Amino acid sequence: MKPTSFVPTVGGISPGEVGEIPGLEAAISHWTEESRSAEEWFRELNAGWGTAGFVVRRGDEPQGFVVYGPREYLPHAGAYPVGPLAEDAVLLACVAGDARTRRRLLVRMLRDLRHRGVGRVEAIASDRGARHHVPTPFLLESGWKPVRRGWYGGSPYTLVRTDLGNAVEVGELARGLVGR
């Protein structure tokens, strides 16, 4: 029997492992309006755009995940009356796990996107913590800025944004996240 590591690891989500990550298929189904499976979605994005998510594991056990990508690959974003979304922004769709895991995943996502030259990230955050969304308070506490609010399905949502202006700013944002 192999001992389980106490140190969590972060890795990109591959199409072949989506079934091993609880909640991931449902999150992709929500944001893609059931247009494709999570495996198909990750295969398409990884091939044409690059990494679209990370998973934190402790040993073999997933502890949480983050999903993001160009908004055209997340069509349900258009249903929320908080837009318009910025043309040049990447959309953070969902982050799952405990608070520490979510912070670790956000830091990894921001670092990945900054290295890819992305200048802005937006999220349609849930003010009430709806499934498949990032909680609004979590992002606001993490330094993201509110842009617009709106109601959808009887619940409030907030479009939030963070700019990845330069490596120093991203580093400061990451240090702020990790320090919480």
Side-chain angles (χ1 to χ4, degrees), residues 10-94:
V10 179
I13 298 173
S14 70
E17 69 181 333
V18 296
E20 302 168 11
I21 304 170
L24 182 58
E25 184 73 46
I28 297 298
S29 179
H30 172 80
W31 285 101
T32 63
E33 299 178 330
E34 300 179 8
S35 65
R36 57 181 64 93
S37 71
E39 184 176 344
E40 294 168 326
W41 190 82
F42 275 100
R43 184 170 283 113
E44 184 177 341
L45 263 80
N46 286 354
W49 185 71
T51 302
F54 291 99
V55 60
V56 170
R57 292 182 185 275
R58 179 167 284 132
D60 292 335
E61 289 296 314
Q63 304 295 304
F65 64 87
V66 64
V67 173
Y68 56 96
R71 66 172 205 229
E72 59 267 19
Y73 287 93
L74 301 160
H76 193 65
Y80 297 88
V82 296
L85 302 175
E87 291 288 325
D88 63 341
V90 167
L91 185 66
L92 165 59
C94 181

